[in-house]
Amino acid sequence: MWFLKPTTRNKVEVVLLVINFCCCCCCCFFCCRQARTEPLFTAPPSHVNASCQKSRCILSKCHLDSLPSSLALLEGVGMTLYSIYIFNRYGDNIFYMQWNRTSAVQEGEASLVAGFIYTLQHLSSQLSSSGTSGLRAVQTPFYKLHYAETMTGYRVALLTCRNVSTALVQGIFIEMFRDVFHKTLTRDLNYRHEPGCMITNPDFAEGLEALFRSKQLLE
Amino acid sequence: MSAGALNFSNEGEKAFESGEKVSAEFFAITYGALVQQMVADLVQEEDVEVVNQQLDAMGRRIGSRLIEEYSVRSGVPACRTFAQAADAVALVGLRMFLNVTATVEPLREVGTDAFSIKFAENPLALFVELPEGPLRERLWYSNVICGVVVGALGMVGFLAEATFARDMLRGDTINEILLCFKGREKETFQIER
C-alpha cells in the first residue's frame, strides 16, 4: 500500500510503507530480474533493535506501533546525508558519492536506482493532475530519496534521512545545477554530455560538498 | 505578439540582463578572425561550403553546452512542442546569448513544420564586409548560429535543421534562418540489465 500526498503546487510526494513496492517497481522495469528479498537501499541506525532489523522488509502497522521510541529517537537526530547518484540523459551513472551510508554497496545498484527513479517519475507524471513530472521525493520509514531532473536529461537521486525537508533539497538542487554544474561541468572542456562520459573533475565533488556544508547537511 | 510570445520575450530580456557580458566588439572580431582563418586554410579557394560546414559543426558543439546554461538560467520551462521550441529559440535564446531581437513565424507551406526566424541586427557581422566573388555568393558568415540552434535543440529531444535563407552581408534586407522540424528524439535513457 502506498499513498500519494499532493502538495499545493500539484507536486506528488510518494510515501512508501512497504519497501517491497520498490522491488516490484524495479522488477516491472527489468522483466527478467528476480524479485529481491533485500531492501534496495537502507541505512538503519545502529540503535534499531534486532527484531526490527529482521522484519524490515515488511513493516506492518503493528511493528510501527511497537517501535515508538526508536522512531522518536530517529526523528530527533540531525539531518544526515547517505549517498547521491547522478545520471546523464543516456542512463549512465556519471557520479556517485556516499557520506554516512551504513549498508554495503551492492552490485548493479546504480542501475536499480536509475530504474526506480525513472519508473516513479513516469508514474507521477501520468498520475499528476497537471500533466507535468511531479516527482520530488520518496520516503520510507528509514530513508528519503530526493529527485530532480533538468530539461537536458540529467537526473539526480539524493538519499538522506527523513528529517531533510523536500523544499530544502529542491532548493539545493537548483543551486547545484546553476552553480556547481555550470562552473565545473558545462565549462569543463574534458566533459561532454555524451554516452559513457563520467564526471572526473575533482572540483565537482568539492563544489558539491561545499554546497551541502553551506546548508548544514555536512560538517 | 501573443501573450505567450510576450512572456518569452520578457524572459529572454531578463536572462540577458542577468548574464555575464563581454564586449560585443571583442566577440565580433574574435569570430571574424576565426572565419578568416578558416577561409585562409581552404585547400581549394572555391570550396566555401567547407567553411559553412565547419561553422555548423562548431556551432553544434557550442549549442550542446549553451543549452545547459539556458536550462538553468532562462526561467522558461521545457518546451513540449516544436512551435514552443521555435518561440524559445527566437525570443529567449537569441536574446539571452546575443541580445538579438528576433521574430518568429510559421511557414505556410502545407505539411511543413517549419519556422522563419528573422532578425535585423547581427552582432557577429559587426565591421564585416564580404568581397565580391565566391565568398559573397556562397559563404553563410554566421552559420555558427544555425549549428548552435540545432545542437541545443538536439539536447532537449528535438531533431531539427537550421539554415540561413537570407543574409544582410550578401545584400539582403534582413537576416533569416529557416528552422525545420525533423522529428522527436526517441527515449535515450537506457538502463543496463
Side-chain angles (χ1 to χ4, degrees):
Chain A
M1 176 197 296
W2 47 273
F3 304 105
L4 296 181
K5 186 194 296 182
T7 61
T8 54
R9 289 192 253 164
N10 272 328
K11 301 297 184 179
V12 178
E13 295 183 24
V14 182
V15 181
L16 299 178
L17 291 185
V18 181
I19 296 182
N20 270 350
F21 174 81
C22 312
C23 306
C24 299
C25 200
C26 294
C27 292
C28 292
F29 198 84
F30 312 107
C31 53
C32 56
R33 280 256 179 175
Q34 284 286 329
R36 298 174 65 98
T37 54
E38 292 293 324
L40 287 179
F41 8 87
T42 62
S46 56
H47 55 267
V48 170
N49 59 56
S51 64
C52 179
Q53 284 177 317
K54 288 172 183 173
S55 57
R56 67 190 177 193
C57 287
I58 302 174
L59 289 174
S60 65
K61 287 184 178 179
C62 175
H63 281 280
L64 286 175
D65 290 339
S66 66
L67 299 169
S69 58
S70 297
L71 288 179
L73 184 56
L74 190 63
E75 295 295 339
V77 174
M79 299 192 290
T80 309
L81 284 185
Y82 296 138
S83 56
I84 186 169
Y85 300 80
I86 302 181
F87 305 94
N88 64 11
R89 70 199 307 259
Y90 308 101
D92 303 323
N93 179 28
I94 61 178
F95 185 78
Y96 172 77
M97 201 171 198
Q98 66 187 44
W99 295 275
N100 300 294
R101 177 176 180 154
T102 57
S103 63
V105 177
Q106 303 178 42
E107 184 185 347
E109 181 182 279
S111 296
L112 294 175
V113 175
F116 179 63
I117 59 176
Y118 181 85
T119 308
L120 270 190
Q121 184 256 318
H122 279 265
L123 276 177
S124 68
S125 295
Q126 296 182 27
L127 293 171
S128 162
S129 58
S130 59
T132 59
S133 169
L135 178 63
R136 298 168 88 213
V138 182
Q139 181 174 277
T140 79
F142 292 108
Y143 68 91
K144 187 171 183 177
L145 184 149
H146 302 261
Y147 172 83
E149 65 182 30
T150 70
M151 68 168 73
T152 55
Y154 286 115
R155 298 173 198 259
V156 182
L158 178 72
L159 284 92
T160 69
C161 72
R162 301 197 313 165
N163 294 340
V164 184
S165 87
T166 304
L168 171 67
V169 174
Q170 292 296 312
I172 290 174
F173 283 154
I174 290 173
E175 285 191 51
M176 179 184 75
F177 287 127
R178 183 185 298 253
D179 295 325
V180 184
F181 260 69
H182 184 60
K183 286 170 183 164
T184 66
L185 293 187
T186 305
R187 294 186 172 189
D188 180 0
L189 294 183
N190 296 310
Y191 175 79
R192 294 183 179 192
H193 197 167
E194 283 177 358
C197 193
M198 304 293 148
I199 296 176
T200 56
N201 188 347
D203 293 338
F204 177 81
E206 290 169 19
L208 191 62
E209 289 199 310
L211 175 59
F212 286 140
R213 277 193 293 269
S214 73
K215 306 294 178 181
Q216 275 82 54
L217 291 181
L218 285 179
E219 295 149 15
Chain B
M1 187 181 283
S2 69
L6 188 60
N7 287 339
F8 271 12
S9 191
N10 291 339
E11 291 295 340
E13 190 166 341
K14 281 196 286 179
F16 171 74
E17 292 300 329
S18 68
E20 302 171 34
K21 298 177 183 61
V22 301
S23 157
E25 290 82 7
F26 175 80
F27 182 57
I29 291 172
T30 305
Y31 183 74
L34 178 65
V35 176
Q36 190 174 43
Q37 187 63 52
M38 284 180 173
V39 172
D41 286 344
L42 285 177
V43 177
Q44 301 287 340
E45 196 171 308
E46 306 287 309
D47 279 340
V48 176
E49 188 57 37
V50 169
V51 176
N52 289 338
Q53 289 163 17
Q54 288 172 345
L55 291 173
D56 184 76
M58 183 177 76
R60 289 177 189 236
R61 292 194 294 273
I62 295 174
S64 66
R65 293 181 187 263
L66 285 190
I67 188 64
E68 303 288 353
E69 183 168 351
Y70 170 95
S71 74
V72 299
R73 277 212 308 110
S74 70
V76 173
C79 299
R80 301 171 146 267
T81 67
F82 190 70
Q84 285 175 1
D87 277 353
V89 164
L91 304 177
V92 185
L94 288 180
R95 180 78 148 116
M96 177 177 169
F97 292 113
L98 291 177
N99 196 22
V100 161
T101 303
T103 62
V104 57
E105 60 191 28
L107 295 186
R108 298 210 181 99
E109 298 162 26
V110 179
T112 307
D113 199 352
F115 296 83
S116 161
I117 297 174
K118 295 172 182 161
F119 49 102
E121 71 273 17
N122 180 1
L124 293 181
L126 225 51
F127 316 126
V128 177
E129 284 181 16
L130 293 180
E132 294 291 337
L135 286 183
R136 189 173 176 92
E137 290 162 16
R138 297 204 291 274
L139 176 67
W140 295 114
Y141 182 83
S142 304
N143 210 39
V144 69
I145 297 180
C146 296
V148 167
V149 169
V150 169
L153 290 175
M155 291 298 286
V156 291
F158 292 106
L159 305 178
E161 197 174 274
T163 54
F164 263 97
R166 287 186 284 170
D167 192 344
M168 292 172 77
L169 285 179
R170 295 187 173 198
D172 296 316
T173 56
I174 198 162
N175 303 299
E176 182 180 16
I177 291 176
L178 299 185
L179 186 58
C180 302
F181 180 59
K182 293 298 176 184
R184 295 292 302 241
E185 187 180 41
K186 74 178 181 66
E187 178 62 63
T188 59
F189 200 83
Q190 304 291 329
I191 298 167
E192 301 169 16
R193 289 168 182 260

